[in-house]
Amino acid sequence: MPVSPLSDFIVKDAVTRALAEDQGGRGDITSLACIPAGQEAKFYFKARDAGVLCGLQPAVEAIWQMDPDAMIKLHMADGDAVAPGDIIATVNGQARALLAAERIALNFLGRMSGIATFTRRYVDAVEGTKARIAHTRKTTPGLRAFELQAVQAGGGALHRFGLDDAILIKDNHVAVCISVGAAVRAARQHAGHMTRIAVEVDRLDQLGEAIEAGAESVLLDNFSLADLRSAVAQAGGKVTLEASGGVNLDTVSGIAATGVDVISVGALTHSAPNFDIGLDWD
């Protein structure tokens, strides 16, 4: 699965902060104590799990921030399937610097590959249906760009990145506006013609109101399978239907079979297990 690279600024800033957090005020005192200055070393990043790789960009950045002259050979790319024992990258450089960068590089690789791998399991579970698996905004503060890149690496669809991407009227907006229709109509008057309007409904009888008011997408929150099928029939392709709530690997295939267009899964980013990758000595 091809993966779009992140901006250099985002990657450099996040890695700089992560390295500063890890090293504190005195740096890697273990390596400084044990390893002679100028000692060269060769290490391999190796997969210890089977899954989908992601996180090479920040991992490489962590190494180069510690040793700008380090030689890095990538044997795999983000989005590639990996198996236990696969060599992901070979690194030659200053031993002190490589060991100081090790944990930050592995943290990015483990977190992002874990999300990519978990996403792929959901994508595989809905294969043969038209449903796309999408992320939500339930991400680690400050690391959303990295986590959503990992979703993409796993074959997931991109939802809105932030609050300024699209109008998504949730239940609390509806409560303040009194009704689904009133909220959508107010949004339509405010938004330009290029801004997409979506609205969340939690009852089947709100769907017609949302469509009539001009919503382009309707989020069906915690609907039963029967109500999802009814919503698909009622909408008749007039709007994009997104199912959310109560989605897990045991339920996602049944939800996809109802005919919805999108299934949003918060668990992709808030509950993905870490992927085990190690840095091994030559």
Side-chain angles (χ1 to χ4, degrees):
M1 175 66 62
V3 180
S4 302
L6 298 172
S7 77
D8 288 341
F9 173 81
I10 289 174
V11 175
K12 289 179 180 178
D13 179 66
V15 170
T16 297
R17 287 185 286 108
L19 288 169
E21 177 184 64
D22 204 32
Q23 295 190 57
R26 295 193 292 161
D28 179 8
I29 61 173
T30 305
S31 293
L32 291 171
C34 297
I35 298 174
Q39 175 71 50
E40 296 273 335
K42 182 178 182 180
F43 289 99
Y44 299 97
F45 284 100
K46 287 185 180 180
R48 294 173 180 168
D49 282 336
V52 180
L53 178 66
C54 194
L56 287 171
Q57 202 177 348
V60 168
E61 177 65 23
I63 293 168
W64 277 340
Q65 284 199 21
M66 296 306 302
D67 181 0
D69 297 321
M71 301 296 293
I72 304 171
K73 183 177 181 180
L74 300 179
H75 304 286
M76 309 191 80
D78 285 342
D80 283 353
V82 295
D86 282 351
I87 297 176
I88 296 166
T90 304
V91 183
N92 290 272
Q94 296 292 311
R96 284 181 176 179
L98 300 185
L99 292 173
E102 174 184 7
R103 178 43 51 197
I104 298 306
L106 291 175
N107 282 351
F108 276 106
L109 283 168
R111 174 65 177 153
M112 295 173 70
S113 297
I115 291 172
T117 300
F118 200 43
T119 300
R120 182 63 58 82
R121 293 180 66 190
Y122 277 87
V123 170
D124 288 346
V126 303
E127 187 176 2
T129 73
K130 70 174 183 177
R132 292 169 291 155
I133 299 297
H135 61 79
T136 71
R137 286 169 43 246
K138 295 176 181 177
T139 55
T140 307
L143 295 178
R144 179 172 293 168
F146 297 91
E147 294 178 347
L148 300 194
Q149 184 191 54
V151 169
Q152 183 189 24
L158 298 181
H159 207 275
R160 61 176 182 162
F161 184 88
L163 294 172
D164 61 342
D165 275 354
I167 291 177
L168 175 50
I169 302 165
K170 303 280 283 183
D171 55 350
N172 284 336
H173 298 102
V174 171
V176 174
C177 294
I178 307 302
S179 71
V180 166
V184 173
R185 285 189 292 272
R188 177 55 64 199
Q189 289 178 349
H190 174 82
H193 70 285
M194 296 293 289
T195 302
R196 189 172 182 85
I197 296 177
V199 61
E200 177 184 278
V201 301
D202 51 24
R203 302 192 315 271
L204 189 57
D205 64 322
Q206 295 174 314
L207 177 59
E209 184 182 358
I211 296 172
E212 184 179 354
E216 292 149 313
S217 297
V218 179
L219 191 156
L220 309 169
D221 187 42
N222 283 298
F223 273 40
S224 66
L225 294 181
D227 281 350
L228 287 174
R229 286 189 287 269
S230 295
V232 170
Q234 183 179 336
K238 297 175 185 176
V239 295
T240 298
L241 293 180
E242 174 186 336
S244 71
V247 183
N248 55 52
L249 284 168
D250 293 326
T251 63
V252 70
S253 59
I255 293 170
T258 66
V260 295
D261 303 293
V262 179
I263 304 172
S264 54
V265 187
L268 299 182
T269 50
H270 70 58
S271 296
N274 194 67
F275 189 90
D276 194 5
I277 295 174
L279 185 69
D280 295 337
W281 169 258
D282 183 13

